[in-house]
């Protein structure tokens, strides 16, 4: 409910009618609009982008090329995130191979690598090049 009020405050949803008991009353159009907003949020859209998409949805006479550009930007961002996560995964896999367990904290290869930035970063950089 807090999110719906926030969307109202931000102008994504119209202020709803109220009952005599001051409860909000939403119609089917409100629900469809909220579902659209939630779907956009699940796809990583920000509020500014959603406002633009809603304006276009409400008045679709303009050229929609910008919508494709918006999605392409999100695809580029996702690809960047994937590369970053793959890099992180590579670092973590390298750390995992530094110790197979059974050692004290002072002789654990993972702990030693995490404590020595140069050792960790140099080893991970070499691992990434291969």
């Amino acid at each position: 409910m807090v999110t719906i009020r926030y969307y109202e405050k931000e102008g994504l949803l119209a202020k709803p009618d109220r009952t005599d008991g001051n409860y909000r009353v939403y119609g089917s159009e409100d629900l469809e609009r909220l579902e659209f907003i939630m779907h956009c949020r699940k796809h990583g859209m920000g509020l500014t982008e959603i406002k633009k998409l809603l304006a276009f949805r409400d008045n679709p006479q303009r050229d929609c090329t910008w919508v494709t550009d918006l999605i392409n930007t999100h695809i580029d961002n996702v690809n960047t995130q994937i590369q970053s996560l793959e890099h992180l995964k590579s670092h973590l896999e390298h750390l995992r191979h530094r110790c197979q367990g059974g050692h004290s904290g002072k002789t654990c290869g993972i702990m030693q690598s995490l404590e020595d930035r140069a050792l960790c970063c140099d080893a991970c950089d070499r691992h990434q090049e291969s």
Side-chain angles (χ1 to χ4, degrees):
M1 192 64 155
V2 173
T3 303
I4 293 173
R5 284 188 224 133
Y6 178 72
Y7 291 158
E8 288 173 12
K9 180 182 161 216
E10 292 298 315
L12 299 173
L13 291 172
K15 299 271 186 220
D17 293 332
R18 300 254 183 182
T19 65
D20 292 338
N22 206 27
Y23 289 101
R24 290 174 168 84
V25 177
Y26 297 99
S28 60
E29 287 183 22
D30 298 314
L31 182 58
E32 288 174 14
R33 192 170 182 92
L34 180 60
E35 287 174 345
F36 181 84
I37 293 167
M38 292 170 53
H39 198 211
C40 289
R41 294 294 291 157
K42 286 180 183 176
H43 284 84
M45 308 285 173
L47 294 183
T48 302
E49 294 167 327
I50 295 171
K51 284 181 185 180
K52 291 177 185 176
L53 289 167
L54 285 168
F56 181 74
R57 182 178 180 246
D58 295 342
N59 187 16
Q61 288 99 1
R62 300 182 319 195
D63 178 17
C64 70
T65 303
W66 68 274
V67 178
T68 303
D69 294 340
L70 175 72
I71 296 303
N72 284 335
T73 298
H74 278 274
I75 290 169
D76 291 343
N77 290 339
V78 167
N79 284 330
T80 299
Q81 290 173 352
I82 289 170
Q83 289 173 351
S84 177
L85 288 171
E86 287 290 339
H87 184 74
L88 174 60
K89 179 183 173 191
S90 175
H91 279 270
L92 292 171
E93 287 172 340
H94 176 77
L95 281 174
R96 180 179 59 200
H97 293 297
R98 299 277 301 156
C99 183
Q100 299 302 318
H103 301 284
S104 72
K106 293 181 183 201
T107 59
C108 175
I110 294 171
M111 294 303 293
Q112 289 174 348
S113 292
L114 290 172
E115 289 177 15
D116 185 348
R117 184 185 180 331
L119 177 64
C120 179
C121 293
D122 291 344
C124 288
D125 290 342
R126 282 194 309 276
H127 178 70
Q128 187 179 7
E129 291 171 1
S130 57

